[in-house]
Amino acid sequence: MVALSTDGLAIQPSAATYELEDLVNETWQGRVRVPHFQRDFRWGSQDVVRLFDSIIKGYPIGSMLLWVRQSGAEAVTIGRIKVSAPAGENTLWVVDGQQRITSIANALHPEGNRHAPFAVYYDFKEQRFVDRPREIEEHHLPLPVLFDLIRLLDRFADPARGAREYFPEAQRIAKVLRTYKIPAYLVRQDDEKILTDILDRMNNYGKRLSRAEIFSALFAGPVEGAAERLSLARIAERVDAETGFGLIDANTVLHSILARRGPDPMRDIRNEFSPDNRRTADFSDESQEAAYAEGEAAQVRAVRFLQDDAGVPHLSLLTYRALLVVLVRFFGHFPDTGIGTASSFVDSTGGRPSAGRECSRAASRR
């Protein structure tokens, strides 16, 4: 049993709400800083784009945890922004929320926006945020212009620039950005060890949602008919019931379905069944329901191959789940392939199914 100390915060955290414009300006002026014990910045371009998409839709982006403390004057770097930060009694140090505040402050800053992953634009034709386009046209506007009212007015006052019909939408986006509310907890504590303990607990305690759980939530569908629809868990149960192979974990089921539909099973899952993604999928006209059904059928064929020809009667004897994912893609694209043909394919690529049969027979004799 782990012994936990009862020493903690002398003063309970207080709650505050910041408008995005105020928090960004505080960051640009060096009154919001990132402590040295924070991890490096890890977000990519699409993470930053999705953050702004959430903001403009009014979605919550999570609360921040800010450490309020006295700080000396120093040169501060946040992302691509370099600031000569003044000394202050109530400097805000970001304990939780570094990726978000770094992304927002850089994407809205003229210098920060010049560099990936912060080079975010608004596309008025598509009405969405995008990574910097290869060819910038009149309907593309960088976020620093949207965020700066004077630059925004100058941009649309110039008749040579065109696209004045986008001005009402630009005003709306600018207002939403500036007035978006970000909740925060403020901690006043001099002991850095307590702050690092809080950071550790916030990031490592509890269990994060698995990729399969996120996918299931995204594509759960309406309540009506949920009991009859296929799901990752139901596919695993049905494959086990038909083959006796054992219950395949949900993440492997998901990766198998994705592998059948495209070569990269670790791709972004959020738009898997969107019209745009269908055009690039291996099975472009396939609905979500069909993808689940065909994915299940391919898994059954893959499991039958493992059992009948590769000598792997049960999931517990399959060392690497990725082998099943590869086989599902194979049988998904070649559903009429006979087991013998697949076995020949394995032999030709260096596999030894006969050895697998001998191992399984020996195991069963024990």
Side-chain angles (χ1 to χ4, degrees):
M1 180 179 293
V2 178
L4 298 178
S5 170
T6 57
D7 294 337
L9 295 173
I11 302 174
Q12 290 297 306
S14 58
T17 301
Y18 294 91
E19 287 197 348
L20 184 145
E21 181 177 26
D22 295 334
L23 194 59
V24 166
N25 285 328
E26 292 285 287
T27 304
W28 289 352
Q29 294 168 24
R31 289 195 283 269
V32 176
R33 309 183 193 180
V34 176
H36 67 278
F37 55 75
Q38 273 282 17
R39 63 177 181 170
D40 293 336
F41 186 82
R42 295 183 179 179
W43 277 17
S45 297
Q46 287 307 304
D47 297 310
V48 181
V49 167
R50 285 182 61 81
L51 175 64
F52 279 95
D53 182 65
S54 295
I55 290 172
I56 211 64
K57 289 176 177 175
Y59 294 173
I61 61 171
S63 61
M64 302 181 66
L65 182 62
L66 303 174
W67 177 20
V68 185
R69 57 171 292 197
Q70 182 178 357
S71 303
E74 62 176 333
V76 173
T77 300
I78 297 182
R80 291 286 188 158
I81 304 171
K82 298 185 184 298
V83 181
S84 296
E89 292 291 325
N90 295 299
T91 303
L92 303 176
W93 293 77
V94 183
V95 178
D96 188 60
Q98 176 209 358
Q99 309 291 315
R100 285 164 284 163
I101 191 60
T102 302
S103 298
I104 293 170
N106 278 265
L108 296 174
H109 192 278
E111 175 60 29
N113 188 265
R114 293 174 54 201
H115 307 276
F118 311 116
V120 180
Y121 282 60
Y122 190 76
D123 185 329
F124 288 98
K125 277 191 176 179
E126 298 288 337
Q127 294 193 325
R128 63 189 180 96
F129 293 101
V130 296
D131 194 19
R132 180 169 48 210
R134 291 183 179 178
E135 295 185 10
I136 299 174
E137 302 182 42
E138 62 181 15
H139 58 274
H140 295 130
L141 200 64
L143 291 198
V145 177
L146 266 174
F147 191 63
D148 186 324
L149 184 57
I150 295 176
R151 292 182 66 189
L152 183 63
L153 292 173
D154 288 345
R155 165 65 177 77
F156 284 98
D158 183 358
R161 304 291 291 276
R164 298 188 69 177
E165 68 272 19
Y166 299 133
F167 184 58
E169 175 70 357
Q171 283 184 303
R172 185 187 73 83
I173 298 296
K175 182 178 179 180
V176 173
L177 285 176
R178 290 197 301 269
T179 61
Y180 181 82
K181 304 291 194 300
I182 300 177
Y185 283 105
L186 306 180
V187 176
R188 300 176 186 276
Q189 172 61 241
D190 293 329
D191 189 347
E192 186 176 304
K193 290 183 179 179
I194 291 181
L195 269 297
T196 55
D197 186 32
I198 292 173
L199 179 64
D200 174 55
R201 293 174 185 234
M202 293 184 70
N203 286 280
N204 295 312
Y205 284 24
K207 291 186 177 180
R208 296 181 183 275
L209 291 175
S210 69
R211 196 160 183 253
E213 288 170 329
I214 294 172
F215 184 87
S216 296
L218 287 172
F219 301 108
V223 175
E224 296 78 10
E228 291 75 37
R229 282 197 301 273
L230 280 178
S231 64
L232 300 182
R234 191 163 291 122
I235 289 172
E237 292 169 357
R238 287 161 59 102
V239 171
D240 181 35
E242 183 170 344
T243 64
F245 190 62
L247 203 62
I248 303 169
D249 64 278
N251 276 325
T252 301
V253 173
L254 169 61
H255 294 154
S256 297
I257 290 173
L258 294 175
R260 175 186 163 272
R261 288 170 48 81
D264 180 12
M266 301 308 295
R267 62 184 175 271
D268 188 349
I269 59 176
R270 297 177 182 90
N271 300 311
E272 182 63 25
F273 299 109
S274 69
D276 288 341
N277 191 63
R278 283 186 183 181
R279 289 196 292 268
T280 60
D282 290 352
F283 302 93
S284 57
D285 296 328
E286 190 174 67
S287 66
Q288 177 181 338
E289 293 75 15
Y292 278 33
E294 293 299 327
E296 177 187 335
Q299 285 187 56
V300 169
R301 288 191 288 269
V303 167
R304 290 297 189 200
F305 168 74
L306 287 171
Q307 291 176 317
D308 299 339
D309 211 61
V312 183
H314 195 271
L315 180 66
S316 60
L317 296 176
L318 186 65
T319 307
Y320 301 107
R321 299 293 190 269
L323 296 174
L324 179 59
V325 175
V326 173
L327 285 170
V328 169
R329 177 165 174 81
F330 177 82
F331 284 104
H333 282 256
F334 305 100
D336 298 325
T337 301
I339 294 299
T341 305
S343 177
S344 298
F345 172 77
V346 172
D347 280 329
S348 69
T349 56
R352 297 185 61 193
S354 59
R357 280 195 294 272
E358 292 304 317
C359 288
S360 65
R361 289 168 185 162
S364 63
R365 286 196 294 270
R366 293 193 191 101

